[in-house]
């Protein structure tokens, strides 16, 4: 059993006790005065969200023609954004589920907001397939239900698989997130000073009283959900990848897509975790909870997944020529030299070249550099999605039908709008809910205390008892 | 499909809103409003409002509808009749088919005949008599226009009619018409002219080349019309001419040429087809099909003509013959050999841009070859106007102020007359200007009276075909507005006792046939043509040889020769307000909603211009800014200016589209020397095809005569082959027959309610044509190839696999059907279609508000709404109609029962359609050809639409 | 500190949760019921002239084709024109107030505005003549009009209802002689099978193709 004090540093700075940890994290929500930077960010993102909603209204009134899409490029930003957001939505579940099963202590302090991020990203992603429909009001036809037309979805279409994949993922990650939060909600309820907050958190806490039975059930359910969520991490983006792999268009039709998409998803997901974690720990002085060790680990994951993605690029280009398929070759050459070539090379720079600095420990521990890098990786991953979606179709089988996709202002508004709404939801989250798991942090504290005695999982509820009054009703 | 709210609930909300608009709003009202809006929201899922059914008061013959009725009639363009069958449903003409009995059609049509039905329903058509009250001197000031009535006009006309009829008076009448072949109209016009001693007739044919007429005069001392017989020719030489698109006989030329090639296409040993030689200045359909083609400026084409002619005319002097032209040497030697071999089976055609002398020489050469009477028939011009003046004469008279009353009938000189005449001002000089036409056009806006004319499909009438065959027009619908046919108007003007078009036409044709007139009338009306009424061949004496003009001095490098040609879609502006034609990609440039100045790549690079540059052309005092389009196949140092853009008063569609080349156009000639300088401005073209090179993908294949294409390797199938036991519909398109005339595209648009999307949408890549005609540069034959591309109806269709709602599926007869009402618009099917034949309604494209356009729609085809994918259906509605007809009669379908819209329009019969299970069918025969191949066969989509490779000319 | 929620409050919360669930179920039921309401089965529909099929068909025994003249030849059965009605009613009951509208229509040329009973969406291309040719009797879709004083809809006319027959037409066919009879019994299976073969209806596939009804 590895101690939290790992070889290359600690995941929780010493000197923290149950009470102080609890007070610190809960305080972020309950007793933190609203400061202007947060307020400014909140208002700005709220404005973007409203613009986004307005743009959607206009889209439903006019039709998808307000975007730059055309024949041959039937999908533009909408689907690129969709794939990008789904990818970002991966890290959370990976961190909380897979790392939990792997007993990785360092996940503790980041899993909560990572899961929130997952939820919101998946939500953003889930919107786009509906928005991009020509007749969105019939979106429900993709769901199987007995209707008076005796019609069912067309099961061979990957888009139908998508509906199930995304929906399952959303539900499971939401449950996982909420279940993990129950003890903390109880803590919030008990620490809340105003009646309103007590009632609100109380309702959400579902009457959690921290009894041993509660903890036992909680542990089991949490582990079960983790087990349930783990395959989803792989399945969701594999299915999304098949939206393309099943198609016959050069640039779509590639068997490596599922693994390559999953790796890309984790890549962009962890990048987003860093993009969020670094400002977060800075803004709320969480350096003691989210230490360099966390950033270091995340950076290593970035490096690893980054190389898998790079391998994907390599194989794509290799197979184009190895297969000898003239359409694939023409499409690939167009990627290198065609109208969208700048995007392609920029993408390679962001996703393959820049991450190599992470070989150096110093770079992995330099928060500013990590932050900038994570932004670039997010950018690069979006460009990758765009290249797959737009460039491939713009240059397929019939030269006479080749045509370019030029984004209109509406395309940009929808991209920016989804980012704004995502950020806004996240700000609301850290405003109302504990951004770091209190209960699990306290486990960390405990394990530091009674080292080297291995902690018995069942005894974890006792740690709560130490915590003072929390949980007693 | 959301239902409109139930009126009561709506009314209730109205009331509540009223209350709320009042000063104070109390709780109750707010609650009431909420309740009302709830109710309103609820109506979305309440039953649809009760619809009403309106039966006929008297059921018309032909029943309540559902079955199209076809009326033999004709569409009249530039005075000439193009025989058509007007297909109408529920009493609305909605689709035009060719009239197999008509010599100019033989069952096929051109784009204009197909688009004519939209012209009938054009919402901008003139519907009322208009009178100008106050008359300004300046044409630019919009005068006071008031709508009036026919009776008011008749009253006004009677006054000046008396003055005109007065033998001692001085009042003069001038009548300006377009080319006129209608016997009835000509007879009435004569009576009208006879009534006034000082009345004179002028003819204005904006697109006709005066030089051609002068040439005939030069050669034979009389006017003649040339009727070419491609089916009898062994060798055809076109000099600056495009017999496949110019003139009233174009469709017939293509048809004859195509049928003369059938034997060669079928690979019959020793079969001969007419060899086509094209010396053209600017790319044309004939040149693209020619076996041997050379691009030369008009002047050098004349040089070629003189050199060739010399071999049959020893009397020509070396001065006439001139020096050899290295650029054309190879072409010339081949040509001479072919002409010698063909002898009297040769045919030479001269076109716009040649001088009168050259035209005379062409006729003489034909005569020397012995072609006249064999491959070329000379007839009295059906539109001959003996004694009629030209536009120039009229303008002189106008300027001299000797014109009291000017009657413009079916012409628009204010727009299409060369600017030298300064028509807008000249017309103002007439004391009384009366205009009659389909639209309130540029001329109508200057007139004191504008009279709305009936459309060809609304009137009784007659006209002559290109070979003089008389054609009867019968109405397929009563006039939409209070309009008169030209004949009826002339009858009114001539104070004829008869006023009704039917009576007038009958009177015209009864003379000499009183005995069996009824039989004759029924027969002719049914057939659409008057039997054996073709003009008899003329006996001409030996042609006088012209003397060659001195060659023009070498022009400075900044000077180019401008060649004026009718626009390939708007036909000199007459069809400018026709959305289908404006949006039709021009055959070579694929430009829509525009006209462009074509230059060759060499000239462009010499002057440092590229496609989209706006240049200023100058000729004398006049200048014109035009966008340049660099076009291979164009002769060097030549600038092609399509006529028909820049309309000022065409209507909502045609106004200010492109530039008006007639600003520069000289009085009579079709060419002009212009200087050119760059303006630095750019112009965006809306082009439907950006890539002309096919990147060696063998989409459009060619074979040498007698050789077969390599058969596709047999591929193992993972899935069982697609079975269609009863019928298996398939289409085979013969690329050796296709001339790229676009008739199929417009026919499809008319048949299938395909919307017009406008320039900006086309520029975005959202054109909606279900059958597009791709053009490719074919290195192997150094020429253009055309390839119509409809839906391939793949048996293993990639589109069907990916549709999440099953909106595109196969039916049991092998049609890849698109179920609009199930489509949610993911567009995955289009991404997955290798042939990119699917079209998407990105916005609400179908016009749901304009009444007349609704009336044009085919009731058997769903009008697609926004957000729905659509594509070629093999005219599933025609398949269904044929099947249901057969099932009613309890007989099986036979080959030819189903004819798709594109197939029936095609002037070269390039499209074969039928049932693969019917071993005797035409399409099965086509698919057994050694030239047969499937496009992108390596994808193994098993397309039902396949192609027959184009045959390379033997070098 | 005291508990945030009293036991009573807890109960209320639990009940509230239950209520929400119940409401959700209720909404679903409501929509299902709404969908039924579309069908408007058996609701007599008021007409400008209270035309009674019961009288004309049931009592007088007039054949359907006498008024619906194009039912055997065209897509539309042919809603009888004013002239057809007047064929009899220029003599019979000509002075009845009921028929005033009819005479008015004949005089003015304005059609009688009947209320539609059977309506199909615009994207459905139904053809009467083919159904008649195949042996689908009028009663199959329009019900016993001879018992309808005012016309009403006998069947929902929804896609699944059409498909029921298109998937298994044999049990809905009648010999040509009985197609326009109101009370003719369905033939026995053997004869029905023979009819289906005669009408070339063995291939279910063709009849369930989308393109059979949608274009």
């Amino acid at each position: 059993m590895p101690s939290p004090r790992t070889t290359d540093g600690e995941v929780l700075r010493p000197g923290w006790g149950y009470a102080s940890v609890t007070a610190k994290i809960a305080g972020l929500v309950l007793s933190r005065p609203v400061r202007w930077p947060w307020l400014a960010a909140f208002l700005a993102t709220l404005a973007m969200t409203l613009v986004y909603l307005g743009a959607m209204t206009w889209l439903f009134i006019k039709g998808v023609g307000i975007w730059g899409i055309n024949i041959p490029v039937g999908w533009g930003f909408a689907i690129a954004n969709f794939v990008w957001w789904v990818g970002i939505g991966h890290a959370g579940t990976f961190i909380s589920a897979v790392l939990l099963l792997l007993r990785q202590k360092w996940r503790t302090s980041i899993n909560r907001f990572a899961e929130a991020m997952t939820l919101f990203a998946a939500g953003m992603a889930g919107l786009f397939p509906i928005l991009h429909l020509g007749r969105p009001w019939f979106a429900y036809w993709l769901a199987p239900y007995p209707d008076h037309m005796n019609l069912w979805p067309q099961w061979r279409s990957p888009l139908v698989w998508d509906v199930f994949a995304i929906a399952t993922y959303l539900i499971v990650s939401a449950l996982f997130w909420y279940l993990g939060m129950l003890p903390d909600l109880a803590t919030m309820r008990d620490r809340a000073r105003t009646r309103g907050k007590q009632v609100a958190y109380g309702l959400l806490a579902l009457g959690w009283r921290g009894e041993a039975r509660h903890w036992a059930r909680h542990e089991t359910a949490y582990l079960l959900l983790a087990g349930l969520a783990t395959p989803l991490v792989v399945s969701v983006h594999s299915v999304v990848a098949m939206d393309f792999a099943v198609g016959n268009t050069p640039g779509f039709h590639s068997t490596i897509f599922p693994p390559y998409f999953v790796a890309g998803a984790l890549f962009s997901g962890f990048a987003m975790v860093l993009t969020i974690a670094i400002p977060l720990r800075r803004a709320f002085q969480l350096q003691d909870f989210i230490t360099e060790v966390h950033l270091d680990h995340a950076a290593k994951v970035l490096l690893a997944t980054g190389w898998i993605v790079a391998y994907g690029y390599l194989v794509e280009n290799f197979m184009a020529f190895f297969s000898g398929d003239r359409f694939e070759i023409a499409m690939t050459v167009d990627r290198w030299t065609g109208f969208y070539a700048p995007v392609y090379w920029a993408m390679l720079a962001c996703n393959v070249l820049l991450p190599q600095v992470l070989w150096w420990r110093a770079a992995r521990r330099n928060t500013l550099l990590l932050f900038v890098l994570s932004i670039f990786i997010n950018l690069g991953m979006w460009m990758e999605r765009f290249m797959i979606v737009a460039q491939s179709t713009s240059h397929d089988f019939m030269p006479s039908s080749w045509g370019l996709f030029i984004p209109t202002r509406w395309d940009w508004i929808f991209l920016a709008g989804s980012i704004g709404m995502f950020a806004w939801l996240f700000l609301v989250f850290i405003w109302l809910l504990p951004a770091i798991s209190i209960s699990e942090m306290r486990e960390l504290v405990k394990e530091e205390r009674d080292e080297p005695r291995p902690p018995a999982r069942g005894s974890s509820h006792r740690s709560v008892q130490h915590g003072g009054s929390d949980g007693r009703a | 499909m959301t239902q409109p709210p139930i009126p009561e609930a709506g009314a209730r909300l109205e009331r509540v809103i009223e209350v709320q608009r009042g000063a104070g709003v109390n709780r109750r009202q707010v609650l009431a409003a909420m309740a009302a809006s709830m109710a309103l929201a609820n109506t979305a899922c309440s039953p649809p409002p009760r619809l009403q059914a309106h039966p006929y008061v008297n059921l018309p013959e032909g029943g309540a509808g559902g079955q199209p009725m076809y009326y033999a009639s004709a569409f009249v363009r530039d005075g000439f009749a193009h025989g058509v069958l007007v297909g109408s449903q529920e009493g609305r003409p909605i689709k035009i088919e060719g009239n197999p009995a008509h010599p100019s059609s033989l069952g096929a049509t051109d784009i204009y005949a197909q688009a004519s039905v939209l012209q009938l329903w054009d919402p901008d058509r003139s519907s009322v008599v208009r009178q100008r009250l106050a008359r300004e001197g300046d044409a630019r000031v919009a005068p006071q226009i008031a709508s009036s009535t026919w009776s008011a006009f008749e009253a006004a006309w009677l006054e000046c009619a008396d003055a005109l009829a007065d033998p001692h008076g001085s009042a003069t009448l001038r009548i300006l018409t377009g080319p006129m072949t209608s016997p009835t109209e000509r007879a009435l016009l004569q009576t009208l002219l006879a009534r006034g001693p000082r009345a004179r007739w002028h003819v204005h044919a904006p697109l006709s080349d005066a030089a051609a007429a002068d040439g005939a005069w030069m050669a034979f001392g009389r006017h003649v019309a040339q009727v070419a017989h491609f089916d009898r020719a062994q060798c055809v030489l076109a000099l600056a001419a495009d017999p496949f698109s110019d003139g009233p006989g174009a469709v017939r030329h293509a048809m004859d040429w195509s049928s003369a090639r059938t034997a060669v296409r079928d690979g019959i040993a020793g079969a001969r087809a007419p060899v086509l030689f094209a010396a053209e200045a600017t790319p044309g359909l004939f040149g693209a099909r020619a076996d041997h083609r050379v691009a030369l400026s008009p002047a050098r084409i004349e040089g070629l003509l003189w050199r060739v002619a010399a071999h049959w005319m020893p009397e020509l002097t070396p001065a006439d013959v001139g020096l050899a032209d290295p650029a054309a040497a190879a072409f010339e030697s081949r040509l001479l050999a072919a002409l010698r071999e063909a002898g009297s089976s040769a045919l030479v055609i001269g076109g716009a841009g040649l001088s009168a002398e050259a035209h005379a020489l062409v006729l003489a050469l034909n005569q020397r070859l012995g072609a006249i009477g064999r491959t070329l028939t000379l007839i009295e011009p059906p539109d001959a106007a003996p004694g009629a003046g030209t536009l120039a004469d009229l303008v002189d008279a106008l300027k001299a102020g000797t014109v009291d009353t000017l009657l413009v009938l079916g012409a628009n000189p204010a727009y299409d007359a060369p600017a030298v005449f300064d028509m807008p001002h000249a017309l103002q000089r007439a004391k009384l200007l009366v205009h009659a036409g389909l639209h309130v056009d540029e001329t109508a806006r200057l007139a004191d009276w504008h009279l709305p004319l009936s459309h060809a499909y609304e009137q009784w009438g007659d006209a002559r075909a290109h070979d003089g065959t008389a054609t009867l027009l019968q109405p397929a619908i009563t006039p939409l507005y209070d309009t008169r046919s030209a004949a009826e108007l002339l009858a009114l003007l001539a104070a004829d006792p008869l006023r009704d078009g039917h009576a007038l036409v009958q009177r015209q044709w009864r003379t000499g046939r009183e005995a069996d007139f009824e039989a004759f009338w029924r027969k002719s009306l049914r057939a659409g043509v008057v039997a054996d009424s073709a003009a008899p061949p003329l006996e001409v004496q030996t042609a006088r040889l012209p003397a060659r003009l001195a060659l023009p001095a070498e022009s400075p490098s900044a000077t180019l020769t401008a060649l004026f040609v009718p626009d390939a879609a708007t036909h000199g502006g007459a069809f400018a307000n026709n959305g289908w034609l404006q949006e039709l990609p021009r055959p070579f440039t694929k430009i829509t909603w525009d006209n462009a100045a074509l230059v060759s790549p060499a000239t462009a690079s010499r002057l440092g211009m590229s496609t989209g540059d706006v240049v200023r052309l100058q000729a004398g005092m006049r200048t014109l800014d035009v966008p340049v389009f660099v076009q291979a196949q164009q002769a060097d140092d030549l600038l092609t200016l399509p006529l028909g853009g820049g309309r000022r008063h065409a209507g909502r569609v045609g106004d200010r589209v492109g530039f008006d080349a007639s600003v520069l156009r000289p009085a009579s000639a079709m060419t002009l020397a212009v200087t050119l300088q760059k303006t630095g401005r750019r112009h965006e073209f809306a082009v439907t095809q950006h890539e002309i090179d096919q990147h060696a993908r063998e989409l459009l294949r060619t074979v040498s005569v007698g050789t077969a294409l390599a058969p596709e390797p047999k591929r193992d199938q993972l899935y069982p082959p697609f079975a269609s036991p009863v019928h298996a519909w398939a289409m085979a398109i013969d690329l050796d027959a296709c001339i790229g005339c676009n008739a199929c595209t417009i026919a499809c648009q008319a048949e299938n309610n395909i919307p017009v999307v406008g320039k900006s949408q086309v520029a975005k890549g959202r054109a909606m044509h279900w059958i597009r005609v791709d053009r490719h540069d074919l290195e192997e034959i150094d020429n253009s190839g055309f390839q119509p591309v409809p839906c391939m109806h793949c048996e293993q269709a990639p589109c069907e696999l990916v549709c999440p709602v099953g909106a595109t599926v196969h039916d049991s007869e092998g049609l890849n059907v698109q179920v609009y009402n199930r489509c949610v618009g993911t567009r995955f099917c289009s991404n997955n279609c290798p042939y990119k034949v699917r079209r998407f309604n990105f916005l609400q494209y179908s016009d749901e508000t304009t009444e007349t356009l609704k009336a044009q729609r085919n009731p058997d085809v769903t009008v697609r709404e926004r957000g729905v994918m659509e594509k070629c259906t093999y005219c599933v509605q025609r398949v269904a109609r044929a099947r249901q007809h057969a099932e009613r009669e309890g007989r099986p379908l036979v080959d030819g029962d189903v004819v798709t819209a594109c197939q029936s329009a095609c002037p070269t019969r390039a499209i074969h359609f039928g049932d693969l299970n019917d071993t005797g069918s035409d399409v099965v025969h086509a698919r057994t050809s050694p030239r047969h191949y499937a496009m992108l066969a390596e994808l193994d989509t098993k397309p039902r639409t396949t192609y027959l490779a184009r045959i390379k000319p033997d070098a | 500190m005291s508990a945030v929620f009293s036991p009573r409050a807890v109960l209320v919360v639990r009940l509230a949760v239950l209520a929400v669930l119940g409401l959700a179920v209720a909404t679903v039921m409501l929509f299902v019921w709404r969908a039924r309401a579309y069908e408007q089965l058996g609701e007599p529909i008021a007409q400008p002239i209270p035309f009674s099929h019961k009288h004309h068909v049931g009592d007088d025994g007039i054949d359907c084709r006498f008024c619906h003249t194009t039912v055997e030849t065209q897509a539309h059965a042919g809603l009888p024109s004013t002239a057809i009605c007047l064929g009899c009613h220029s003599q019979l009951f000509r002075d009845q107030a009921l028929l005033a509208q009819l005479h008015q229509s004949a005089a003015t040329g304005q059609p009688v505005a009947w209320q539609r009973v059977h309506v199909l969406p615009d994207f459905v291309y139904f053809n009467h003549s083919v159904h008649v040719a195949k042996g689908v009797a009028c009663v199959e879709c329009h019900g016993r009009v001879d018992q309808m004083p005012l016309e009403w809809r006998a069947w929902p006319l929804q896609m699944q209802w059409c498909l029921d027959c298109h998937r298994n037409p044999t049990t809905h066919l009648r010999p040509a002689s009985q197609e326009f009879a109101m009370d003719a019994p369905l033939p026995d299976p053997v004869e029905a099978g023979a009819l289906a073969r005669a009408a070339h209806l063995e291939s279910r596939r063709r009849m369930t193709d989308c393109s059979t009804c949608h274009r």
Side-chain angles (χ1 to χ4, degrees), chain B residues 406-429:
Chain B
L406 173 58
L407 172 68
V408 181
L409 179 55
N412 184 14
Y415 164 75
D416 59 20
V420 283
F421 294 133
D422 187 18
M423 222 45 201
H425 285 92
L427 289 169
Q428 298 286 306
R429 304 293 301 279

Side-chain angles (χ1 to χ4, degrees), chain B residues 72-97:
Chain B
S73 184
F75 179 58
V76 182
R77 176 164 57 93
D78 296 341
F80 283 88
H82 299 250
V84 298
L85 304 178
V86 184
S88 71
Q89 285 215 25
E90 283 130 38
R92 300 177 283 114
I94 60 168
K95 179 70 175 68
I96 302 304
E97 307 291 348

Side-chain angles (χ1 to χ4, degrees), chain B residues 242-258:
Chain B
D242 183 0
F244 285 174
S245 47
D246 297 345
V251 169
R252 176 61 180 269
H253 296 158
M255 183 74 88
D256 288 347
W257 163 79
S258 183

Side-chain angles (χ1 to χ4, degrees), chain C residues 62-86:
Chain C
I62 300 173
D63 187 287
C64 310
R65 291 161 289 184
F66 187 84
C67 303
H68 303 286
T69 49
T70 56
V71 72
E72 288 175 303
T73 57
Q74 288 183 1
H76 310 289
L79 189 59
S81 65
T82 310
I84 289 178
C85 303
L86 286 173

Side-chain angles (χ1 to χ4, degrees), chain B residues 81-83 99-108 227 248-253 255-256 464-471 527-530 533-534:
Chain B
H82 299 250
N99 180 355
H102 193 274
S104 309
S105 163
L106 299 188
V227 179
V251 169
R252 176 61 180 269
H253 296 158
M255 183 74 88
D256 288 347
R464 293 196 177 275
H466 73 288
D467 67 350
T469 304
T471 313
V529 294
V530 176
S533 56

Side-chain angles (χ1 to χ4, degrees), chain B residues 35-119:
Chain B
S37 31
M38 292 293 232
L40 208 58
N42 231 345
T43 59
C45 34
S46 70
R50 177 74 53 200
L51 300 173
Q52 289 191 331
H54 296 164
Y56 286 93
V57 174
N58 296 295
L59 195 66
E61 64 169 317
Q67 310 294 350
M69 313 245 296
Y70 291 94
Y71 300 90
S73 184
F75 179 58
V76 182
R77 176 164 57 93
D78 296 341
F80 283 88
H82 299 250
V84 298
L85 304 178
V86 184
S88 71
Q89 285 215 25
E90 283 130 38
R92 300 177 283 114
I94 60 168
K95 179 70 175 68
I96 302 304
E97 307 291 348
N99 180 355
H102 193 274
S104 309
S105 163
L106 299 188
T109 56
D110 57 9
I111 55 173
Y112 302 109
Q114 285 299 336
S116 61
V117 70
L118 184 60
Q119 187 185 45

Side-chain angles (χ1 to χ4, degrees), chain B residues 335-359:
Chain B
L335 170 62
L336 284 170
L339 282 175
R340 284 212 183 81
E341 189 191 352
S344 67
S345 302
L347 170 62
V348 186
I349 302 172
L354 299 184
S355 65
E357 290 74 14
H359 280 285

Side-chain angles (χ1 to χ4, degrees), chain B residues 820-884:
Chain B
Y820 310 119
N821 44 301
R822 178 66 174 169
C823 179
V824 296
T826 67
R827 305 182 295 288
F828 202 168
C829 52
S830 171
N831 283 354
N832 223 36
C833 173
Y835 309 95
K836 287 290 172 281
V837 295
R838 294 180 152 262
R839 298 290 177 256
F840 188 69
N841 291 271
F842 289 92
L843 301 168
Q844 180 58 48
Y845 289 143
S846 301
D847 184 331
E848 290 175 319
T849 53
T850 313
E851 284 304 321
T852 58
L853 294 181
K854 284 192 217 162
Q856 184 277 327
R857 303 241 166 88
N858 183 348
D860 290 342
V861 178
T862 306
V863 175
R864 281 80 60 188
E865 90 172 325
R866 178 250 288 194
V868 170
M869 188 65 69
E870 59 183 72
K871 66 163 191 69
C872 159
T873 63
Y874 273 172
C875 286
V876 60
Q877 67 279 7
R878 292 182 173 218
V879 177
R881 189 183 302 142
R883 184 196 302 115
Q884 289 162 350

